[in-house]
Amino acid sequence: MSSPLLAEATRIAREFDYPAAQVQRGVAEYIRQSNEGLAQENTTLSQIPTFVTAVPNGTEKGLYLAVDLGGTNFRVCSVQLHGDTTFSLTQSKIMIPRELMASGTSKDLFTFLARQIEAFLRIHHNEHFEAHKRRRREGKGEEELFDLGFTFSFPVRQNGINSGTLIRWTKGFNIPDAVGHDVCALLQSAIDDLDLPVRVAALVNDTVGTLMARSYTSPGETGTLLGAIFGTGTNGAYVEKIENISKLQHMKDAHFDTTTGEMIINAEWGSFDNQLSVLPNTVYDRDLDADSNNPGIQMFEKRVSGMFLGEILRRTLLALHKNPDVGIFKSASKASLSSDALLYRQWGLDTSLLSAVEADKSPDMIDIKTALKDHLNIENASNEDCEAVKILTHAIGKRAARLSAVAIAAVLIHTGKLQTDDIVDVGVDGSVVEFYPNFEDHLRTALREITEVGLAGEKKVRIGISKDGSGVGAALIALVASKDQTLRNPRE
């Protein structure tokens, strides 16, 4: 007979069950919300047109720059595309000073970014950089510019491949005077002030970059349909028929190439079902949301992504610890569970703990004990404590994977790609999908349970890790953009 602790852990774990019938309901509602987002603005599922109208096939060549402002680090890289599905990447990474993230002006931030681009060019492409400076001094006219893809992982309203206004900051940034402004223009202005041979050719969402990078490197004839990120956050971008994006007709300033008949849509699926009509909602989800800095939004992301899974687990463990009838970690030292202990601290538990717990197959659960010590400073956890942690971890991670299947399946069904005999290629990136044990297995199990996918459809889905969407993908989008703008700036 199981102990009161394990019985209670199992009871809580069952609250995270997400059975096939609920998955099916989720898929139907996702498709409904996605169609709504293609037709109008200000919907739960944003379905943002990216104005990227072609995916690569691996034969593209050239040298392109990419920068990535996605969080606390800023990355600058140059990408040499070899034209045979391979590439070479040179990059540098710098931490953004905290004062520029929240208290500075947009000019302070973008000048800092432009200076990093200048330093990168001096170190890695100095010959080109100096030649450009020389031609400028000698008044030799139009010189060849580096086309740059700007990965900007914050919500923007895009109205062209190289322009988009910032809707709001997330991830700890708060620079009010940038909101409502074109972030490409802000970066270009800072670049021009430093007289750099760089043109901001494309505004890139990291998920779109994931799709592009996968399409360049993936094997086979068909391009990649979907790029999905399951990491700190979650999002997806997919190839849509332009005729289905009816809201484009109302976008007065929109300009894009129509020749392919397709456009990549950035779903912004982290906000799927903010109204909670179909998403599961435990007391732990509700409390996490209420205590977050953006209550009521990104509800799908708060159940799926790495930023939140550790916090969900922490809240379940705290409930067990505070329950006088079961009390987890009773054998732990008092110091590790004092009132200021990590177990009591919001965001005190990193999602990498869940990966370590899920991976531990040893009978004495030594890796779980080590992980609890490393992450929560809990020493002397008993085997029973570890078993309870394992039960909860498994339930939370499995639910995240099954929810992920909802979004992927909805895109597969909506685009009709499963109706053909072709393999459907999906590029994924992010720490959860890459490192969380059995994540893809749970996801695929859920896909098979969906009526319109089934075993035959799931077998057609090829899921591949797409590394470096914000670098290679951004470079590829800059390439697409440079072709679109050849009249303005002839290139060799």
Side-chain angles (χ1 to χ4, degrees):
M1 180 162 161
S2 76
S3 69
L5 171 57
L6 296 184
E8 180 61 8
T10 303
R11 187 195 67 74
I12 293 173
R14 279 206 200 99
E15 294 183 40
F16 292 92
D17 284 351
Y18 189 56
Q22 283 188 16
V23 173
Q24 193 80 41
R25 274 181 63 219
V27 170
E29 179 59 17
Y30 188 102
I31 292 171
R32 190 195 70 74
Q33 290 187 24
S34 77
N35 285 326
E36 188 178 70
L38 291 172
Q40 60 199 69
E41 295 283 1
N42 305 316
T43 51
T44 303
L45 211 52
S46 298
Q47 297 287 80
I48 299 169
T50 65
F51 304 93
V52 179
T53 54
V55 295
N57 61 17
T59 62
E60 293 79 4
K61 288 183 176 178
L63 180 66
Y64 295 87
L65 286 181
V67 297
D68 177 12
L69 181 67
T72 50
N73 291 312
F74 181 62
R75 209 161 58 111
V76 186
C77 51
S78 56
V79 180
Q80 182 77 53
L81 303 167
H82 301 309
D84 58 0
T85 77
T86 68
F87 60 85
S88 315
L89 181 80
T90 307
Q91 65 170 326
S92 69
K93 193 163 149 182
I94 183 132
M95 255 189 109
I96 295 172
R98 205 156 263 296
E99 62 273 15
L100 291 182
M101 290 171 62
S103 55
T105 65
S106 59
K107 188 167 175 57
D108 294 338
L109 175 67
F110 284 94
T111 299
F112 173 82
L113 303 184
R115 285 206 178 108
Q116 307 314 314
I117 296 169
E118 179 178 33
F120 180 87
L121 289 173
R122 284 186 185 283
I123 294 165
H124 300 290
H125 300 282
N126 196 46
E127 203 174 308
H128 181 108
F129 184 71
E130 291 301 335
H132 160 79
K133 289 278 200 195
R134 200 163 50 248
R135 279 200 299 274
R136 272 275 165 100
R137 276 198 306 275
E138 294 164 2
K140 291 274 178 70
E142 189 66 43
E143 62 281 87
E144 183 167 326
L145 301 174
F146 279 107
D147 280 314
L148 176 141
F150 179 19
T151 299
F152 184 76
S153 304
F154 301 90
V156 289
R157 181 158 285 108
Q158 216 161 333
N159 47 24
I161 199 163
N162 66 345
S163 65
T165 54
L166 176 62
I167 298 169
R168 65 179 177 275
W169 289 105
T170 56
K171 306 179 197 176
F173 279 75
N174 183 19
I175 306 164
D177 72 353
V179 175
H181 289 270
D182 181 349
V183 293
C184 289
L186 290 171
L187 181 59
Q188 188 69 63
S189 171
I191 284 168
D192 292 346
D193 286 348
L194 296 179
D195 192 25
L196 306 181
V198 175
R199 178 179 59 208
V200 182
L203 181 60
V204 181
N205 173 277
D206 54 354
T207 317
V208 183
T210 296
L211 170 61
M212 297 292 275
R214 173 66 185 174
S215 202
Y216 179 79
T217 58
S218 73
E221 298 297 306
T222 55
T224 300
L225 170 71
L226 170 66
I229 290 181
F230 301 105
T232 306
T234 183
N235 189 16
Y238 73 100
V239 181
E240 179 63 273
K241 291 189 179 78
I242 287 176
E243 65 196 36
N244 292 341
I245 316 169
S246 52
K247 68 180 176 187
L248 282 173
Q249 296 155 18
H250 313 298
M251 298 175 77
K252 300 279 184 284
D253 305 328
H255 47 274
F256 54 92
D257 177 6
T258 56
T259 52
T260 64
E262 294 180 332
M263 184 184 287
I264 297 175
I265 288 288
N266 164 20
E268 287 294 340
W269 72 31
S271 66
F272 165 57
D273 197 34
N274 279 342
Q275 59 272 49
L276 299 178
S277 59
V278 294
L279 285 177
N281 197 26
T282 68
V283 64
Y284 310 101
D285 298 307
R286 288 195 290 275
D287 291 349
L288 178 150
D289 178 56
D291 293 344
S292 70
N293 60 8
N294 56 352
I297 58 174
Q298 297 297 97
M299 294 309 230
F300 183 71
E301 184 167 79
K302 283 172 179 166
R303 287 151 178 76
V304 168
S305 77
M307 184 170 181
F308 300 101
L309 297 181
E311 179 62 7
I312 295 172
L313 177 62
R314 186 190 70 82
R315 287 170 182 272
T316 63
L317 294 177
L318 196 56
L320 283 179
H321 181 60
K322 286 180 168 176
N323 182 334
D325 297 331
V326 296
I328 196 171
F329 306 134
K330 280 181 175 166
S331 58
S333 64
K334 288 280 180 283
S336 62
L337 290 169
S338 60
S339 58
D340 61 346
L342 287 168
L343 183 64
Y344 285 91
R345 196 177 302 164
Q346 188 184 16
W347 312 118
L349 184 52
D350 188 78
T351 296
S352 56
L353 171 86
L354 282 81
S355 294
V357 169
E358 197 72 72
D360 189 357
K361 300 284 183 275
S362 62
D364 56 359
M365 295 181 279
I366 190 70
D367 293 342
I368 298 178
K369 287 172 184 170
T370 304
L372 286 170
K373 184 174 184 305
D374 291 347
H375 286 264
L376 288 173
N377 298 330
I378 289 173
E379 300 197 45
N380 309 321
S382 68
N383 282 4
E384 191 179 61
D385 292 340
C386 294
E387 190 61 47
V389 172
K390 198 167 189 173
I391 289 166
L392 291 167
T393 295
H394 183 71
I396 292 163
K398 185 176 174 182
R399 187 186 72 164
R402 290 175 67 81
L403 279 164
S404 304
V406 167
I408 290 176
V411 172
L412 295 172
I413 296 161
H414 162 79
T415 54
K417 289 297 183 194
L418 293 174
Q419 310 307 321
T420 69
D421 293 334
D422 293 334
I423 288 290
V424 184
D425 196 79
V426 175
V428 294
D429 192 16
S431 51
V432 175
V433 71
E434 191 171 359
F435 301 119
Y436 197 96
N438 309 316
F439 189 84
E440 188 181 328
D441 294 344
H442 292 316
L443 191 159
R444 284 187 175 277
T445 300
L447 285 180
R448 291 194 291 274
E449 293 168 2
I450 296 160
T451 313
E452 302 92 328
V453 181
L455 183 60
E458 182 265 323
K459 278 190 170 151
K460 284 184 197 165
V461 179
R462 179 174 62 203
I463 297 176
I465 294 288
S466 173
K467 288 314 289 172
D468 204 47
S470 61
V472 183
L476 286 156
I477 297 170
L479 177 148
V480 170
S482 69
K483 287 184 174 165
D484 202 13
Q485 295 165 12
T486 43
L487 296 172
R488 282 199 312 159
N489 185 47
R491 293 174 57 84
E492 291 165 16

